């Protein structure tokens, strides 16, 4: 997972730098694209700040919600089991299992071999955290490229990302790896359309996962990175 982040970061860094240096895209446009995801949370951040909540705590809550969402993909995977459609919540299970073939995500690597629609959807579902890590890497690469274009140095980008990123990025990759490891476990059996075996394997994998320990690691790590991003990073930025 960390490798996926680094690869996507390098790709977006190179592409972003080339586009800006060629004058095809303004740095402001690139920066806006790299921060669009978090911009949706800015109104909530502003409300929290006006209420006196520490910025580090707000960043911590935002990041924890994202990390726990990554973990949740594994623990909601059973909703795709077509043999349990009669269990509660029935409506949600019917939506997850589906009946129509996915139009876009079915072209992800390995999907073409899966004939059972619920397995195909499960296969993609367990890949979502990996796609999220790719997105995070793309955003980071564009931010680094923008900082270099505006300030003429990669130092400011490194200072803005590294202090908290050294903790935050590994934590996010850990959370994503929990779900993606399940994807790797069931990939071959899903491609063989062995529905019952897939969900039995998932159940064993889920029970073997030390989830409580991982949640503690995620929470403590993201609390540290949030406080560093709110209080240490701005100080370092003012110092350069």
């Amino acid at each position: 997972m960390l490798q996926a982040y680094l690869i996507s970061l390098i790709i977006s860094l190179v592409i972003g730098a080339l586009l800006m240096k060629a004058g095809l895209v303004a740095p402001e446009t690139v920066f806006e694209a790299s921060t669009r995801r978090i911009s949706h949370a800015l109104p909530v951040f502003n409300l929290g700040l006006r209420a006196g909540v520490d910025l580090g705590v707000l960043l911590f809550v935002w990041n924890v919600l994202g990390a726990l969402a990554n973990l949740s993909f594994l623990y909601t995977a059973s909703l795709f089991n077509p043999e349990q459609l009669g269990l509660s919540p029935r409506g949600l299970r019917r939506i997850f299992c589906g009946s129509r073939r996915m139009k876009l995500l079915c072209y992800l690597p390995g999907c073409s071999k899966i004939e059972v629609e619920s397995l195909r959807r499960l296969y993609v579902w367990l890949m979502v955290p990996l796609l999220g890590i790719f997105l995070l890497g793309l955003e980071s690469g564009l931010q680094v490229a923008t900082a270099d274009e505006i300030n003429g140095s990669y130092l400011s980008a490194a200072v803005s990302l590294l202090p908290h990123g050294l903790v935050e990025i590994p934590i996010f990759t850990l959370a994503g790896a929990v779900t993606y490891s399940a994807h790797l476990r069931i990939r071959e059996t899903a491609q063989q359309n062995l529905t019952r075996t897939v969900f039995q394997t998932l159940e064993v994998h889920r029970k073997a996962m030390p989830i409580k320990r991982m949640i503690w690691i995620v929470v403590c790590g993201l609390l540290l990175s949030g406080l560093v991003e709110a209080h240490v990073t701005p100080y370092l930025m003012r110092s350069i």
Side-chain angles (χ1 to χ4, degrees):
M1 295 291 282
L2 187 57
Q3 184 180 15
Y5 171 81
L6 293 174
I7 290 173
S8 59
L9 183 150
I10 293 171
I11 291 173
S12 65
L13 170 60
V14 172
I15 293 176
L18 290 175
L19 289 175
M20 287 185 289
K21 291 187 183 301
L24 299 176
V25 181
E28 294 78 11
T29 303
V30 176
F31 182 76
E32 181 182 352
S34 68
T35 57
R36 183 165 297 170
R37 180 174 57 89
I38 197 172
S39 67
H40 297 300
L42 289 181
V44 178
F45 274 52
N46 290 332
L47 285 174
L49 291 173
R50 286 199 293 268
V53 181
D54 185 82
L55 177 58
V57 174
L58 293 173
L59 290 168
F60 160 70
V61 172
W62 168 257
N63 288 329
V64 161
L65 290 176
L68 293 181
N70 277 338
L71 292 172
S72 72
F73 283 92
L74 173 60
Y75 291 86
T76 53
S78 61
L79 294 173
F80 291 89
N81 192 341
E83 297 180 357
Q84 296 181 353
L85 281 175
L87 299 180
S88 180
R90 295 181 183 179
L92 192 58
R93 288 181 183 275
R94 283 196 293 269
I95 293 172
F96 273 50
C97 289
S99 57
R100 298 180 180 179
R101 184 182 178 90
M102 293 184 298
K103 295 181 179 180
L104 179 61
L105 295 178
C106 64
Y107 295 105
L108 287 172
C111 278
S112 61
K113 298 180 181 179
I114 304 175
E115 298 176 0
V116 180
E117 181 59 28
S118 60
L119 287 185
R120 187 183 296 112
R121 291 172 179 240
L122 171 66
Y123 184 90
V124 172
W125 183 256
L126 296 176
M127 287 184 71
V128 170
L130 176 64
L131 301 177
I133 291 297
F134 270 116
L135 175 61
L136 186 61
L138 292 174
E139 292 174 343
S140 299
L142 292 177
Q143 290 168 13
V144 172
T146 304
D148 173 61
E149 184 68 20
I150 294 175
N151 301 316
S153 170
Y154 287 112
L155 178 61
S156 60
V159 170
S160 66
L161 289 175
L162 283 180
H164 65 278
L166 288 174
V167 178
E168 181 181 303
I169 301 305
I171 290 294
F172 269 108
T173 55
L174 171 65
V178 170
T179 295
Y180 190 63
S181 64
H183 170 86
L184 296 177
R185 286 289 302 274
I186 61 98
R187 181 167 57 187
E188 291 186 3
T189 49
Q191 291 173 348
Q192 295 170 6
N193 296 287
L194 302 175
T195 303
R196 183 166 296 181
T197 303
V198 165
F199 286 98
Q200 288 174 346
T201 302
L202 273 179
E203 183 66 13
V204 172
H205 184 75
R206 183 184 65 80
K207 290 181 177 180
M209 194 65 63
I211 190 62
K212 291 183 179 179
R213 183 186 305 171
M214 289 188 174
I215 288 177
W216 273 111
I217 293 173
V218 166
V219 169
C220 294
L222 291 180
L223 177 59
L224 174 62
S225 70
L227 294 174
V228 169
E229 185 174 1
H231 302 291
V232 177
T233 300
Y235 171 78
L236 295 176
M237 291 293 293
R238 290 192 296 268
S239 301
I240 61 175

